[in-house]
Amino acid sequence: MIYKKYLGASIASFLSSPVVAQWNTTNPTSKNSSRFDPLQYVNQLIGTDNGGNVFAGATLPYGMAKAVADVDGQNTAGFSTDGSNVTGFSHMHDSGTGGNPSMGNFPLFPQYCPDDVIDNCRFLITDRATPYVLDSVVTTPGYFGLSLVNGINAEMSVSEHAALYQFKFPAQTSSTGTALSPLILLDLTDLNASRQNATISIADDGRIKANGTFIPSFGSGSFMSYVCVDFSGASILDTGIWVNNRAGTEPKELFVTRGINLFYIQAGGFVRFDTPTNGIVSARVGVSLVSSDKACQNAENEIPDWDFAGLKKIAEGVWREKLSIVTVETGNSSDTSLLTNFYSAIYRTMISPQNYTGENPLWESTEPYFDSFYCIWDAFRSQLPFLTIIDPFSLSEMIRSLLDTYKHIGWLPDCRMSLYWQLAYEAVVNDAENEPLDWSNEGRGGLMSWKALDYIPYLDYDYLGFGTNSRSISRTLEYSYNDFFTLPAPPLSAARAHFYIPSHFNASTTGLPGNDDTGAMASFAAFSMMGLFPNPGQNESGVGWRIGEYLCAKCVVDGVRWNKSWIGHEFFTEGKTLELVLGDTESDWGHKKRIYRLV
């Protein structure tokens, strides 16, 4: 694509002697690019403990299918490195969100049933929860794998709307010495046990179709999710359904809903196999928001040949192309932690939101459809500006999707889970000036006070609409930024960024100071390490860099001294070169402050 010609980047001397750091948009090929592979610096486990809530599993950029092991500990994004137990392997997740666990619909779980007695199987979540071997976790972009302590190994990779699992069962025998039969169950649940009702059917060939109504972890209303599962690698012994801790091979269909007093019924289906020749049973899972038949089509079209190695290689290639837009000349340093922090942050900016184009259940449209904007009040600060630079095509599709949402819903979403500038301006003005009845995830609230007082009071008297009434300060700051903005002195900004990186943003599993906000924290880290920081919605990015005790003493653009503390987006579109010369004393460069009011 043409835009990649001027969006390639090279940061020179990034880890070696901190004298000159270079951001070069004219040539995406660095001196060592022939052997430089950004995937080696992606650690998907950063932020998977201590509340980072980062999705650690297999996904494509903005992919709908997101496969990972789900645990019973910190499971907001499914998996955590907190050492908790695995309860299933599911196929749709969000990343870096706060609040309740998100998605994790229709998990699979492989097991042996003692003495091959169906009623001895561990169907309930608490009964089947199994620890994983801590040092068995392996991740690469587009891949996730681990081993359970019972010897079962799980690997997974994905396409856009489907996942392929390989479950390897160690040989085990019953109390009488006969070989046990592997069993894989599907649970009609999600991570938050939000299912309202669900249906499952199992065909003679073992194909499982299921659907259910679920509640989003943040937002309003409900959504329908659909799944289609096929198996390969072993002949089928029998199939059936299970309810609570009992199961049977008849019937082959089941409908469940909330019971009396909204009692949550655990239920699903299972397929049991004869002993596989190589111990591996593969499960191909298609997902959809439209229908179970569409889920089956997605799986058949995207993973037709069950080639796990080939699928993994394709996923790696897609990620390599995305991440190679930024190349780094590493110098002579053997410490790769900063590079790992940097590329892992870039990787996380492209996990969410999810591209659900072709899977919009709400209206028919030829426009792209993205969802799981979770939430735009976080993403607008740095994630979306970051994507403007490194992935403008995908960002343009997101903007078109948001505008299409406005056309059909009447509001721009603030936090949605479930370029036409005239239309964009109309949508922004509508959200800024008109208050919806429910402004918790779209539009603005407290507009009477905001217009009259220029701030939102604590316990604001607002009878026009309703929402969370406890965020008067953060909403005042957000609305203020939308109507005013400031470009600060870069040395102070650089010093503050250096304070946080790497003390609070680093390459460990606890290397985030809070949830990743679907990439907002990641983009802050990546931008800061580039020496840039955006002013969202404006054609200006602040410039500043600090490494250790070295401060930015001089700025040069295309060989000419640059006295401004900011650059415009034309820096990227016109392919310019930025050099920041560092010194041990602070200069007077970039100390002018500019304050704007939008009218």
Side-chain angles (χ1 to χ4, degrees), residues 445-450 453 456-462 469 475:
L447 285 185
M448 288 189 300
S449 295
W450 173 245
L453 305 173
I456 308 294
Y458 175 63
L459 296 179
D460 181 39
Y461 177 58
D462 181 6
N469 203 26
R475 285 163 55 214

Side-chain angles (χ1 to χ4, degrees), residues 295-531:
C296 294
Q297 293 171 11
N298 289 339
E300 292 167 352
N301 293 338
E302 296 179 8
I303 312 178
D305 53 9
W306 297 75
D307 180 2
F308 187 87
L311 185 67
K312 178 174 178 285
K313 184 176 181 180
I314 290 172
E316 289 176 348
V318 172
W319 275 112
R320 184 173 290 109
E321 181 179 9
K322 284 287 188 183
L323 296 176
S324 292
I325 206 75
V326 180
T327 57
V328 173
E329 297 179 14
T330 58
N332 300 318
S333 175
S334 60
D335 183 1
T336 61
S337 61
L338 195 59
L339 266 178
T340 298
N341 196 10
F342 179 63
Y343 272 102
S344 300
I346 297 175
Y347 167 85
R348 296 198 309 276
T349 66
M350 292 185 276
I351 297 179
S352 293
Q354 277 87 269
N355 188 343
Y356 292 168
T357 301
E359 293 291 337
N360 186 349
L362 302 177
W363 62 82
E364 292 186 4
S365 175
T366 58
E367 285 297 279
Y369 180 62
F370 280 72
D371 214 318
S372 284
F373 287 98
Y374 204 156
C375 291
I376 294 177
W377 58 63
D378 296 312
F380 89 96
R381 291 181 174 86
S382 56
Q383 183 187 8
L384 301 185
F386 189 77
L387 295 179
T388 301
I389 297 172
I390 69 165
D391 197 359
F393 178 78
S394 295
L395 181 67
S396 69
E397 289 197 317
M398 295 176 200
I399 294 173
R400 289 166 58 190
S401 173
L402 291 171
L403 295 179
D404 201 45
T405 299
Y406 166 71
K407 286 174 60 177
H408 289 87
I409 301 298
W411 299 97
L412 282 172
D414 229 5
C415 193
R416 182 175 180 82
M417 299 182 59
S418 47
L419 240 143
Y420 308 102
W421 292 111
Q422 185 174 1
L423 179 64
Y425 183 72
E426 174 190 319
V428 169
V429 171
N430 178 69
D431 270 38
E433 298 295 332
N434 301 310
E435 183 168 331
L437 180 63
D438 180 1
W439 45 260
S440 58
N441 54 11
E442 60 189 11
R444 280 180 169 182
L447 285 185
M448 288 189 300
S449 295
W450 173 245
K451 292 177 180 179
L453 305 173
D454 288 335
Y455 69 92
I456 308 294
Y458 175 63
L459 296 179
D460 181 39
Y461 177 58
D462 181 6
Y463 56 83
L464 296 180
F466 305 93
T468 304
N469 203 26
S470 60
R471 298 173 179 172
S472 60
I473 295 176
S474 62
R475 285 163 55 214
T476 295
L477 289 174
E478 178 185 338
Y479 298 176
S480 298
Y481 181 84
N482 290 340
D483 297 340
F484 306 86
F485 71 96
T486 301
L487 286 176
L492 298 178
S493 301
R496 178 55 57 182
H498 180 69
F499 170 78
Y500 285 113
I501 303 171
S503 63
H504 292 71
F505 292 79
N506 54 62
S508 70
T509 59
T510 59
L512 289 177
N515 66 73
D516 201 32
D517 281 325
T518 71
M521 300 275 249
S523 54
F524 162 78
F527 256 136
S528 297
M529 285 188 275
M530 289 177 177

Side-chain angles (χ1 to χ4, degrees), residues 45-377:
L45 300 181
I46 293 175
T48 55
D49 198 357
N50 196 37
N53 300 340
V54 169
F55 174 72
T59 182
L60 294 180
Y62 321 108
M64 181 174 179
K66 285 178 162 50
V68 79
D70 296 327
V71 298
D72 58 6
Q74 300 177 49
N75 63 355
T76 304
F79 181 74
S80 174
T81 48
D82 62 358
S84 50
N85 303 310
V86 173
T87 61
F89 299 86
S90 64
H91 345 288
M92 292 179 67
H93 295 85
D94 287 310
S95 182
T97 64
N100 294 322
S102 186
M103 294 188 170
N105 315 79
F106 308 115
L108 303 176
F109 190 82
Q111 61 178 293
Y112 282 120
C113 304
D115 289 329
D116 265 353
V117 176
I118 288 294
D119 282 341
N120 288 344
C121 299
R122 294 174 293 277
F123 291 108
L124 300 181
I125 293 174
T126 53
D127 293 343
R128 69 183 188 240
T130 305
Y132 63 90
V133 180
L134 296 181
D135 61 359
S136 71
V137 180
V138 177
T139 65
T140 57
Y143 171 85
F144 181 91
L146 56 65
S147 295
L148 303 178
V149 295
N150 59 17
I152 296 176
N153 178 263
E155 296 181 282
M156 57 217 71
S157 190
V158 293
S159 59
E160 292 285 355
H161 309 90
L164 185 60
Y165 298 86
Q166 286 190 337
F167 298 113
K168 187 171 185 178
F169 293 82
Q172 290 189 13
T173 58
S174 68
S175 58
T176 61
T178 59
L180 292 178
S181 303
L183 179 143
I184 298 177
L185 66 82
L186 182 145
D187 195 338
L188 297 172
T189 191
D190 64 347
L191 287 169
N192 199 32
S194 77
R195 186 210 70 225
Q196 303 303 294
N197 53 67
T199 300
I200 188 171
S201 64
I202 308 171
D204 292 339
D205 62 359
R207 168 170 280 188
I208 298 177
K209 292 183 179 180
N211 66 76
T213 302
F214 300 90
I215 305 298
S217 61
F218 189 94
S220 56
S222 62
F223 68 96
M224 288 283 292
S225 184
Y226 302 85
V227 71
C228 176
V229 187
D230 294 303
F231 299 96
S232 178
S235 57
I236 294 174
L237 178 62
D238 55 18
T239 64
I241 62 169
W242 60 274
V243 179
N244 293 324
N245 58 359
R246 288 293 179 263
T249 56
E250 293 293 339
K252 305 296 186 183
E253 296 183 355
L254 177 68
F255 171 78
V256 293
T257 186
R258 291 281 188 172
I260 188 171
N261 297 325
L262 299 181
F263 177 75
Y264 194 79
I265 300 171
Q266 296 188 53
F270 70 86
V271 178
R272 191 162 51 163
F273 306 89
D274 292 323
T275 303
T277 54
N278 62 356
I280 295 176
V281 177
S282 297
R284 184 183 65 185
V285 182
V287 295
S288 176
L289 298 176
V290 175
S291 69
S292 294
D293 288 340
K294 183 68 160 51
C296 294
Q297 293 171 11
N298 289 339
E300 292 167 352
N301 293 338
E302 296 179 8
I303 312 178
D305 53 9
W306 297 75
D307 180 2
F308 187 87
L311 185 67
K312 178 174 178 285
K313 184 176 181 180
I314 290 172
E316 289 176 348
V318 172
W319 275 112
R320 184 173 290 109
E321 181 179 9
K322 284 287 188 183
L323 296 176
S324 292
I325 206 75
V326 180
T327 57
V328 173
E329 297 179 14
T330 58
N332 300 318
S333 175
S334 60
D335 183 1
T336 61
S337 61
L338 195 59
L339 266 178
T340 298
N341 196 10
F342 179 63
Y343 272 102
S344 300
I346 297 175
Y347 167 85
R348 296 198 309 276
T349 66
M350 292 185 276
I351 297 179
S352 293
Q354 277 87 269
N355 188 343
Y356 292 168
T357 301
E359 293 291 337
N360 186 349
L362 302 177
W363 62 82
E364 292 186 4
S365 175
T366 58
E367 285 297 279
Y369 180 62
F370 280 72
D371 214 318
S372 284
F373 287 98
Y374 204 156
C375 291
I376 294 177
W377 58 63

